[in-house]
Amino acid sequence: MNFNELNLSQELLRAVDELGYTEMTEIQQQSIPLLLEGRDVVGRSNTGTGKTAAFGIPAVESITEADRRSAAVLILCPTRELAMQANEEIRKFAKFKEGVKSSAVYGGASMEKQIHELKRGANIVIGTPGRVMDHIRRKTLRLENIRTVILDEADEMLNMGFREDIETILADVPEDRQTVLFSATMPKEIMAITEKFQRDPVHIKIKSAQKTVELIEQFYFEVAMGRKTDALRLLLAAYKPSSAMVFCNTKAMVDQLTDELVKHGFRAAGLHGDMKQIQRTQVMNSFKSKATEILVATDVAARGIDVSGVDAVFNYDLPQDNEYYIHRIGRTGRAGRTGTAYTLISGRRQLFDLRAIEKYTHAEIHEMPLPDKSDIVSMKKEALVRDISEAQAGHNAYDILDRLTEMGIDYREAAARVIAKQLSAETESLPDFDSARPLRKGRNNGAKTVKIDINIGRNRRIAPNFILGALVDATGMTGKDFGKIDIYDDHTTVEVPETEYEYIIDSTDSMKINGNKVEVKLYKGGAHAERRNRRIDDRPKFDRKKAAYGNKKKSEIFSEYIPNRKKRMKKRH
Ligand code: ADP
Ligand code: MG
């Protein structure tokens, strides 16, 4: 269905046309007509499906002469970036319609400027709940003429603890109003808000999770513990995305990783909630204009950010929530374009978590080996051949060649030296690839091992195969992954790969052997045993349900994928 089939004013149709929209997205088709009629709506649709226009177009259309002096539409968004973004988009819809004044209010920015805009008669106000509350308290935002309240990304606002603010605001807006709610998920708390504050709402649910994810190729890399930063540098050097987002779970990690990337010559910048608004705006603008190639961000800071042309998303940390994974990778492959998502994982626990995500998204995430130096060198060689074959030589170049010839360096030698210099400049600072790969598991391959200690032994008539069986059962690992088993009177030690011991200890939390509940610890024989044990105690408890998933053999995925690898790499360069 086209926008011009809607009963929109000429001004709006012109604006939409100028934006290049013709066909409506599904959520737009279903919600815009209802919103124009004034109905309450609950809309569920994935990120990137055009929700801003779905509520923004009716909002702009609803503004009349009578709204000259006061706010008529109030839109609540979870973050400052989203408020700014929604404001920008709404201004585009309002471009040809006179008398529409929209204004964004959010924390971390000058109160005076916002008050000034509100006083000048903003009739569409877009803001974060906290700052909107501020303005209400100061009476710089008055609610008595508000006809429509829109909650954008309602689930995220609740996650961020805005529930009370939202309820207070909704309770203060005149009852005779339209209440619209958009959300990617529909947890109980949202249903409660719906029941309490909406009138006979129409529920719209667009099933597009697969659709968004389908256009995105998804890969993961297994990386040795502590080598994720090196692995990321390697991948960025190999794939050279011109616009990429990297996700971390903490602000500290964002800062640390950004520093590391900048130090190694990448045009990277970080984005998280502790930064000043002015900095955040700078970073976003720089990323949008492609001056910054790599944006390192936390989930909340990046939520809903709509930047076109992001060609890769990297999950440096695995997201803490499956839904976040979809949001993250949805930053690439927007508006029907294809994109690529890469996830770095360390250790078996993360592999299981990744499998759970795969199951949740119904999409395959393929294992890909980290490229090694020879891979990168051959990619660079191909790129150089292409660059040089397409380049033009100017007079200066010939002058230099003539001078070199006089010095006894012939053309062939000169060209070879230039190429070698270029190649080494592009590859010499790369991290030591081989050690960024995980150690292969198994007892005879030289992988570093540690011992775990199980508090059961000969006194309970325990045999090695009981121990092994219980361990395999609890961890989903294979018998080969475990090494030497020594049974003593009252305890048993088992050799395990060092990279896996934390996972093993976590997953044997409620393990029973021969009917006896046992405790598994790191064997206190090693030098760092104390420190390690402390670290283990701090870790969250292992989720057994997650571990139950993951029957698919890694080798199957691996062999499926390998034949296409070279081709894929070529395609990208
Ligand atoms: P959501 O809020 O659902 O995550 P957005 O409103 O941010 O999605 O829209 C995602 C992108 O799609 C934006 O770049 C927007 O300009 C574009 N878009 C929205 N509606 C249409 C449409 N009907 N045709 C083409 N592009 C659209
Ligand atoms: Mg949105």
Side-chain angles (χ1 to χ4, degrees):
M1 194 175 163
N2 279 356
F3 280 97
N4 53 24
E5 290 171 61
L6 288 171
N7 206 3
L8 289 177
S9 63
Q10 284 309 312
E11 290 88 345
L12 263 128
L13 284 177
R14 206 174 140 199
V16 164
D17 187 53
E18 191 160 290
L19 281 167
Y21 300 178
T22 46
E23 189 85 357
M24 278 186 275
T25 67
E26 248 179 290
I27 187 78
Q28 291 165 357
Q29 278 184 42
Q30 294 202 33
S31 57
I32 294 178
L34 291 164
L35 294 181
L36 289 171
E37 276 172 33
R39 292 290 303 265
D40 281 8
V41 165
V42 182
R44 251 184 106 164
S45 175
N46 260 48
T47 177
T49 52
K51 292 189 286 290
T52 321
F55 61 74
I57 290 172
V60 171
E61 191 71 311
S62 77
I63 300 298
T64 66
E65 275 289 301
D67 301 317
R68 288 228 152 199
R69 323 205 70 88
S70 58
V73 177
L74 175 63
I75 302 170
L76 297 177
C77 300
T79 66
R80 321 175 234 204
E81 276 75 18
L82 284 177
M84 286 162 64
Q85 197 169 287
N87 187 31
E88 275 169 31
E89 199 157 340
I90 281 172
R91 287 189 175 167
K92 288 180 193 157
F93 298 136
K95 184 171 172 189
F96 302 106
K97 178 162 172 168
E98 268 172 57
V100 180
K101 282 190 202 139
S102 74
S103 170
V105 298
Y106 39 80
S110 147
M111 201 74 187
E112 281 69 45
K113 199 171 150 244
Q114 294 177 1
I115 292 174
H116 180 70
E117 279 193 22
L118 292 173
K119 274 201 183 138
R120 281 181 48 221
N123 38 30
I124 300 183
V125 176
I126 306 136
T128 50
R131 185 53 73 100
V132 166
M133 282 290 292
D134 256 13
H135 284 289
I136 294 172
R137 274 192 225 106
R138 292 169 182 237
K139 304 219 173 5
T140 45
L141 173 62
R142 311 193 68 98
L143 303 177
E144 54 262 19
N145 293 323
I146 291 196
R147 288 189 307 262
T148 303
V149 179
I150 298 159
L151 310 182
D152 188 20
E153 310 243 14
D155 53 347
E156 189 61 17
M157 287 199 283
L158 295 183
N159 281 344
M160 293 172 68
F162 286 134
R163 182 186 178 140
E164 244 175 72
D165 287 349
I166 290 172
E167 297 208 348
T168 312
I169 295 166
L170 286 172
D172 283 355
V173 178
E175 246 175 72
D176 184 24
R177 56 141 200 266
Q178 180 184 34
T179 313
V180 181
L181 186 152
F182 282 99
S183 189
T185 60
M186 208 47 68
K188 269 211 248 43
E189 294 83 359
I190 304 243
M191 297 309 287
I193 288 192
T194 291
E195 267 162 40
K196 205 160 152 193
F197 295 103
Q198 286 189 304
R199 275 186 317 199
D200 188 21
V202 185
H203 287 258
I204 299 173
K205 188 178 170 189
I206 308 294
K207 274 202 169 169
S208 59
Q210 279 88 326
K211 215 178 143 207
T212 334
V213 171
E214 258 170 26
L215 289 167
I216 301 167
E217 290 185 290
Q218 299 169 63
F219 302 103
Y220 74 91
F221 298 91
E222 266 197 275
V223 179
M225 295 279 178
R227 300 302 304 271
K228 279 193 177 181
T229 304
D230 286 345
L232 182 69
R233 282 175 49 203
L234 202 62
L235 293 171
L236 290 171
Y239 298 131
K240 278 203 152 175
S242 54
S243 181
M245 287 180 80
V246 180
F247 286 94
C248 300
N249 289 349
T250 63
K251 295 165 189 170
M253 195 64 232
V254 166
D255 284 339
Q256 193 186 321
L257 183 60
T258 307
D259 284 352
E260 197 70 27
L261 293 177
V262 168
K263 204 172 80 193
H264 286 99
F266 292 100
R267 284 192 283 159
L271 187 74
H272 61 63
D274 282 355
M275 288 161 56
K276 290 219 179 73
Q277 180 57 35
I278 187 156
Q279 269 176 302
R280 291 166 53 146
T281 309
Q282 270 167 7
V283 167
M284 277 314 301
N285 288 342
S286 166
F287 185 58
K288 279 184 185 166
S289 71
K290 313 287 181 225
T292 290
E293 290 174 332
I294 300 154
L295 183 70
V296 185
T298 56
D299 289 288
V300 171
R303 177 81 188 228
I305 281 173
D306 179 38
V307 176
S308 57
V310 173
D311 37 40
V313 165
F314 293 86
N315 295 305
Y316 183 89
D317 290 319
L318 263 187
Q320 281 151 330
D321 181 292
N322 290 342
E323 192 64 34
Y324 278 169
Y325 180 84
I326 294 181
H327 284 298
R328 286 181 178 189
I329 72 170
R331 306 295 105 223
T332 183
R334 285 177 90 75
R337 292 171 54 162
T338 55
T340 316
Y342 303 101
T343 301
L344 301 182
I345 57 168
S346 279
R348 198 169 280 258
R349 182 200 177 96
Q350 293 189 357
L351 185 62
F352 277 111
D353 288 349
L354 185 86
R355 290 296 174 226
I357 289 172
E358 192 175 38
K359 206 172 170 197
Y360 179 81
T361 59
H362 305 289
E364 270 184 73
I365 308 176
H366 304 277
E367 177 169 13
M368 181 132 71
L370 278 174
D372 58 23
K373 190 155 191 157
S374 62
D375 288 336
I376 296 195
V377 169
S378 53
M379 284 190 295
K380 299 283 179 200
K381 277 187 188 166
E382 274 182 48
L384 265 178
V385 169
R386 207 179 43 235
D387 284 357
I388 295 174
S389 67
E390 285 166 5
Q392 307 276 334
H395 288 298
N396 290 339
Y398 292 114
D399 289 349
I400 292 173
L401 272 183
D402 288 343
R403 281 179 57 194
L404 288 169
T405 319
E406 281 166 23
M407 292 163 73
I409 301 166
D410 69 12
Y411 290 173
R412 187 181 154 86
E413 178 63 19
R417 288 188 194 187
V418 172
I419 289 170
K421 216 172 145 206
Q422 176 76 20
L423 200 57
S424 87
E426 288 192 19
T427 53
E428 75 184 345
S429 72
L430 289 171
D432 173 11
F433 310 101
D434 291 336
S435 50
R437 302 173 148 180
L439 300 168
R440 279 289 144 217
K441 290 130 206 138
R443 74 190 101 174
N444 295 321
N445 60 1
K448 226 166 148 188
T449 60
V450 293
K451 282 183 182 174
I452 54 166
D453 186 57
I454 308 173
N455 67 340
I456 194 167
R458 221 174 274 128
N459 54 4
R460 295 288 183 92
R461 300 170 182 282
I462 287 300
N465 56 339
F466 292 9
I467 304 264
L468 195 59
L471 285 172
V472 166
D473 196 40
T475 60
M477 295 166 70
T478 69
K480 272 193 219 140
D481 295 329
F482 298 93
K484 192 155 178 281
I485 299 177
D486 290 314
I487 303 186
Y488 302 90
D489 275 352
D490 59 351
H491 73 113
T492 301
T493 62
V494 184
E495 234 174 38
V496 302
E498 192 186 21
T499 50
E500 305 299 332
Y501 80 89
E502 290 189 331
Y503 168 77
I504 294 168
I505 290 171
D506 277 342
S507 47
T508 49
D509 199 35
S510 54
M511 181 172 78
K512 282 186 175 173
I513 299 180
N514 223 8
N516 300 291
K517 171 101 186 56
V518 296
E519 253 185 60
V520 183
K521 287 192 195 144
L522 188 71
Y523 183 57
K524 297 197 178 181
H528 304 293
E530 276 302 330
R531 191 173 55 79
R532 282 197 194 119
N533 279 343
R534 218 179 316 124
R535 244 173 59 209
I536 292 154
D537 292 341
D538 290 336
R539 291 169 62 89
K541 283 284 168 283
F542 175 69
D543 181 353
R544 191 159 276 281
K545 264 192 225 130
K546 276 187 186 165
Y549 176 67
N551 302 329
K552 199 167 191 180
K553 276 209 206 92
K554 215 167 29 178
S555 58
E556 284 170 21
I557 304 158
F558 205 73
S559 59
E560 251 172 46
Y561 182 65
I562 288 277
N564 292 328
R565 179 173 149 225
K566 281 266 146 64
K567 201 173 80 199
R568 204 177 287 280
M569 285 183 171
K570 257 191 210 140
K571 199 180 85 190
R572 299 204 170 284
H573 298 275

